């Protein structure tokens, strides 16, 4: 029997904090295969893109460009320690391919002084594409067959820009085609982003990469999703607010759904739905699910 897929997800702080990316690359290289990896934007990239959009809408195009420059500098700063000179040159080309169209959207917003939800998604989606370009290049330089995958090529959503809902049947059909190229590779997949049926870029809502990871796991019938993060697990309270907060050993899907529903930042509100479905299909009891996050650093 073929071994089952694993899905790893790395968030902004694992990828964007100085010094952590090499550890992420080691974790991926050493992971069981087949493995698919979902990444979100580096550090505060998404917030900076949001600021760029707001500045452009207020007519502050110089400020908007400055935010975009921050995005580029952070990406280059994280890339320099992990890429060769040749790889870095290629990565600069990747950055241009992602950011030049964003600059054009910002100029349009400045002209009209209006940023529609659709334009905003055309800006916000850039961060995840940058992460995918960086991580897949760095892996290939380490002889790990990282394959850059733009989730927009298979994740189809409605046109509720900014918080789009996945269309499961259309997504599954496109996924079956896209995943044919994945054999023998480690696909590195953009979290958070998708496309409408007629091709407009959408986003799944803030922290949406967790949701991308869980529904990708469901499409792959994966054995597990591991959300690598910088805390020890799902905590009894926010450790920044409550000193005695400690990680919980286990959390049922129902409890996790509840946490997501009540808006803990831990989970995007839809994250827990796909694995709960997988679990039910596999006939497992509801109440013995691992908490599902691991400490990366
Ligand atoms: N980059 C997006 C955000 O900041 C998605 C994510 O981090 O999961 O919300
Ligand atoms: Mg995040």
């Amino acid at each position: 029997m073929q071994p089952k897929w694993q899905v790893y997800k790395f968030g902004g702080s694992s990828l964007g904090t100085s010094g952590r990316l090499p550890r992420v690359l080691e974790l991926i290289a050493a992971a069981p295969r087949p493995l698919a990896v979902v990444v979100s934007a580096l550090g505060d990239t998404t917030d900076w893109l949001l600021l760029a959009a707001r500045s452009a809408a207020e007519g502050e195009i110089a400020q908007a460009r400055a935010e975009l420059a921050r995005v580029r500098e952070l990406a280059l700063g994280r890339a320099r320690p992990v890429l060769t000179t040749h790889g870095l040159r290629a990565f600069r080309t990747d950055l241009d391919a992602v950011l030049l169209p964003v600059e054009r959207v910002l100029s349009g917003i400045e002209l009209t002084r209006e940023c529609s939800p659709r334009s905003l998604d055309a800006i916000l989606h850039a961060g995840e594409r940058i992460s995918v370009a960086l991580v897949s290049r760095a892996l290939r330089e380490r002889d790990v067959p990282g394959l850059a995958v733009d989730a927009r090529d298979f994740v189809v959503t409605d046109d509720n820009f900014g918080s789009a809902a996945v269309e499961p049947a259309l997504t599954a059909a496109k996924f079956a085609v896209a995943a044919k190229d994945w054999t023998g590779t480690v696909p590195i997949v953009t979290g958070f982003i998708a496309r409408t049926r007629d091709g407009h870029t959408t986003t799944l809502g803030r922290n949406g990469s967790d949701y991308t990871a869980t529904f990708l796991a469901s499409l792959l019938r994966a054995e597990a999703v591991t959300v690598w993060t910088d805390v020890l697990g799902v905590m009894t309270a926010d450790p920044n607010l409550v000193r005695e907060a400690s990680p919980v050993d286990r959390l049922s899907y129902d409890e996790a759904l509840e946490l997501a529903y009540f808006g803990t930042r831990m989970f995007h509100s839809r994250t827990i739905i796909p694995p709960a479905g997988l679990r039910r299909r596999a006939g497992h009891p509801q109440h013995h699910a691992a908490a599902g996050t691991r400490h990366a650093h």
Side-chain angles (χ1 to χ4, degrees):
M1 212 176 78
Q2 292 275 59
K4 286 192 144 196
W5 284 84
Q6 301 288 324
V7 176
Y8 279 8
K9 183 258 173 175
F10 294 96
S13 60
S14 305
L15 302 168
T17 308
S18 173
R20 287 193 186 165
L21 186 53
R23 174 85 182 110
V24 168
L25 298 171
E26 279 166 26
L27 281 168
I28 296 173
R33 311 277 179 86
L35 171 76
V37 179
V38 173
V39 292
S40 43
L42 304 173
D44 293 329
T45 292
T46 310
D47 291 324
W48 296 340
L49 291 168
L50 199 56
L51 283 175
R54 281 203 194 124
S55 303
E58 285 162 9
E60 310 281 350
I61 194 69
Q63 187 56 38
R65 293 211 175 98
E67 297 298 341
L68 221 50
R70 271 167 104 180
V71 169
R72 180 187 288 271
E73 277 316 304
L74 175 64
L76 287 170
R78 292 303 162 260
R80 271 183 211 108
V82 298
L83 291 178
T84 59
T85 315
H86 173 77
L88 198 60
R89 202 175 308 127
F91 181 58
R92 282 180 191 277
T93 312
D94 300 334
L95 279 175
D96 287 339
V98 175
L99 291 177
L100 291 179
V102 170
E103 245 183 270
R104 282 196 290 275
V105 178
L106 288 171
S107 302
I109 293 172
E110 193 230 357
L111 277 177
T112 56
R113 296 289 155 93
E114 198 195 293
C115 180
S116 66
R118 182 168 127 187
S119 300
L120 188 59
D121 278 356
I123 293 169
L124 295 188
H125 91 290
E128 273 64 17
R129 289 179 60 205
I130 293 172
S131 292
V132 157
L134 173 55
V135 172
S136 63
R137 277 197 189 286
L139 287 170
R140 289 197 299 276
E141 287 193 349
R142 285 158 183 74
D143 292 326
V144 177
L147 175 72
V149 175
D150 187 333
R152 294 178 303 166
D153 292 342
F154 66 89
V155 183
V156 185
T157 66
D158 63 14
D159 62 359
N160 186 15
F161 296 98
S163 184
V166 175
E167 307 264 13
L170 292 172
T171 298
K174 281 199 154 189
F175 177 76
V177 179
K180 282 197 179 123
D181 299 338
W182 290 12
T183 316
T185 75
V186 177
I188 311 297
V189 184
T190 53
F192 181 55
I193 71 174
R195 259 194 198 115
T196 62
R197 222 183 272 229
D198 46 8
H200 297 296
T201 296
T202 53
T203 63
L204 306 175
R206 296 305 304 267
N207 296 317
S209 298
D210 290 347
Y211 180 39
T212 305
T214 56
F215 76 69
L216 177 62
S218 143
L219 289 166
L220 287 167
R221 304 265 190 277
E223 181 165 36
V225 191
T226 307
V227 177
W228 291 91
T229 183
D230 52 1
V231 291
L232 285 168
V234 176
M235 310 285 279
T236 50
D238 183 338
N240 292 321
L241 302 176
V242 180
R243 204 159 6 117
E244 300 77 32
S246 60
V248 293
D249 284 345
R250 279 172 180 277
L251 193 65
S252 73
Y253 284 116
D254 292 337
E255 287 165 323
L257 277 170
E258 217 165 285
L259 279 176
Y261 180 79
F262 289 112
T264 28
R265 280 194 307 134
M266 181 75 59
F267 301 117
H268 174 282
S269 59
R270 287 190 276 252
T271 300
I272 302 301
I273 297 170
L278 259 188
R279 191 93 180 161
R280 278 194 197 105
R281 279 209 297 276
H284 288 288
Q286 267 293 297
H287 38 270
H288 292 303
T293 73
R294 276 160 89 178
H295 190 58
H297 321 288

